Amino acid sequence: MKGMKVGALILVLFIGSLIPLTAAEGTEDNTTSVSTYSLENSTREQVIATQLVNVLERISKLAEERIEPIKDRLPENSNVLKDYEQAETYKVKALEEYNQRDYYNAILDGLTAMHYYRRALERIEEGERKLPAFRPGYRPN
């Protein structure tokens, strides 16, 4: 009885470890700009960093599309601009570290950049709810 429980636990752990690996390798539907790697030739850090860089680039593009059109209407000391600048700084740092194969720090800085992008985008959404001038496509009369 105890042997069956241990065997079942090992089987569950084995299957559970396969699912994240297949998700990290990407699929044909999810094309990425940075090539994906199999675990045979790379470390887990490298696979995670590759996927994180791909997501970071997509989030950066989304933030740029939302922030750049209203950037000139925001005050210089705006929290949105501060968060966006912080995100851009960490993104550049993460990409440099990734290119230098410093995957651990690329992951940390990439996650930090995503945090600041999220904060900036949340602040924009909050501003859009409060002030119609910040809504996309707004044109004053």
Side-chain angles (χ1 to χ4, degrees), residues 75-131:
E76 286 183 29
N77 63 348
S78 165
N79 287 330
V80 172
L81 292 179
K82 288 178 184 177
D83 288 339
Y84 182 63
E85 290 169 4
Q86 282 286 92
E88 289 291 307
T89 301
Y90 278 105
K91 175 192 163 196
V92 168
K93 190 174 177 185
L95 293 176
E96 288 173 358
E97 291 164 343
Y98 178 81
N99 291 329
Q100 295 170 356
R101 299 177 186 255
D102 183 3
Y103 302 119
Y104 179 78
N105 287 320
I107 291 167
L108 294 178
D109 289 330
L111 291 172
T112 305
M114 287 181 189
H115 167 74
Y116 282 110
Y117 280 128
R118 189 194 85 211
R119 283 179 51 175
L121 291 170
E122 285 175 349
R123 289 173 196 248
I124 286 177
E125 288 177 7
E126 181 181 320
E128 288 173 352
R129 284 192 302 270
K130 292 180 180 178
L131 301 169

Side-chain angles (χ1 to χ4, degrees), residues 53-72:
V53 164
N54 292 330
V55 171
L56 180 60
E57 288 175 346
R58 283 185 255 150
I59 292 172
S60 171
K61 184 176 179 178
L62 172 70
E64 182 180 342
E65 290 171 356
R66 296 286 311 272
I67 294 172
E68 289 298 324
I70 63 167
K71 195 173 185 179
D72 59 334

